[in-house]
């Protein structure tokens, strides 16, 4: 097994690839030339955001250095916005590699969840209200500092 590449092959039709192609809607929080941040549709806590690179990476093994650095810089911006909007310090940063770890979408992404690790909701189970997600995305986007 190669240590520098993911085990799975990148699927151009995965749901996040479709978002990047503009084929399916999402609630955008932030975007730049290398990354996109949007609301998780099945949040594990209120304000759960996903950050993805604009690179075809299945998991951490595939992530190129320039995208690794860009995604962390975007994650910092999103986390700062979450801390302001939700007036809390605690933000869980999570990222799953491989189906064995529970990964369900095979385009690399960082989860940023305003929660304690001890209070996390179930992973990708309960769909949130669309209007509520739209409102949260707008609030968070309004607090992003470039
Ligand atoms: P993972 O299991 O780490 O691959 O996480 C995938 C995440 O994507 C889960 O938290 C899902 O709730 C989330 N998700 C799946 N489909 C969508 C979608 N259409 N829009 C936003 N988030 C999604």
């Amino acid at each position: 097994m190669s240590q520098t590449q993911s085990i799975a092959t990148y699927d151009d039709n995965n749901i996040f690839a479709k978002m990047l192609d503009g084929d399916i809607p999402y609630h955008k929080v932030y975007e730049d030339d290398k990354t996109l941040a949007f609301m998780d549709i099945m949040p594990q806590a209120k304000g759960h955001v996903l950050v993805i690179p604009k690179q075809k990476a299945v998991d951490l093994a595939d992530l190129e250095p320039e995208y690794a650095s860009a995604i962390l810089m975007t994650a910092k911006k999103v986390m700062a916005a979450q801390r302001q909007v939700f007036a809390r310090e605690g933000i869980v940063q999570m990222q799953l590699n491989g189906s064995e770890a529970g990964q369900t979408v095979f385009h690399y992404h960082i989860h940023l969840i305003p929660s304690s690790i001890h209070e996390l909701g179930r992973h990708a189970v309960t769909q949130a209200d669309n209007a509520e997600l739209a409102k949260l995305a707008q609030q968070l986007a309004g607090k992003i500092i470039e």
Side-chain angles (χ1 to χ4, degrees):
M1 184 177 87
S2 162
Q3 295 189 339
T4 54
Q5 254 190 328
S6 61
I7 297 163
T9 309
Y10 187 84
D11 173 8
D12 284 315
N13 287 315
N14 78 73
I15 195 121
F16 295 169
K18 287 184 176 168
M19 287 181 189
L20 288 172
D21 288 343
D23 292 340
I24 65 157
Y26 53 86
H27 299 286
K28 181 157 83 177
V29 172
Y30 176 78
E31 181 172 19
D32 61 22
D33 61 330
K34 291 196 175 58
T35 66
L36 174 67
F38 53 89
M39 303 309 296
D40 193 304
I41 208 169
M42 291 172 272
Q44 289 180 252
K46 183 178 172 181
H48 183 163
V49 173
L50 299 174
V51 189
I52 66 173
K54 295 181 179 179
Q55 186 216 324
K56 295 181 180 183
V58 172
D59 65 23
L60 182 60
D62 295 335
L63 199 61
E64 291 166 9
E66 62 185 301
Y67 288 93
S69 126
I71 200 167
L72 279 181
M73 295 316 290
T74 295
K76 280 166 67 96
K77 288 175 186 156
V78 171
M79 186 178 82
Q82 288 171 317
R83 282 181 160 169
Q84 279 205 51
V85 169
F86 300 109
R88 63 171 296 141
E89 182 196 20
I91 308 292
V92 173
Q93 180 182 332
M94 180 176 85
Q95 188 261 312
L96 309 178
N97 296 290
S99 53
E100 193 181 14
Q103 185 178 1
T104 55
V105 178
F106 296 93
H107 180 115
Y108 178 88
H109 51 282
I110 291 175
H111 297 260
L112 291 169
I113 313 171
S115 176
S116 157
I117 191 72
H118 304 295
E119 292 166 3
L120 274 187
R122 296 202 54 209
H123 183 62
V125 172
T126 310
Q127 191 134 348
D129 176 64
N130 223 25
E132 163 86 350
L133 290 178
K135 193 174 121 197
L136 289 168
Q138 201 180 18
Q139 284 179 320
L140 289 166
K143 293 292 182 192
I144 296 276
I145 297 168
E146 285 285 349

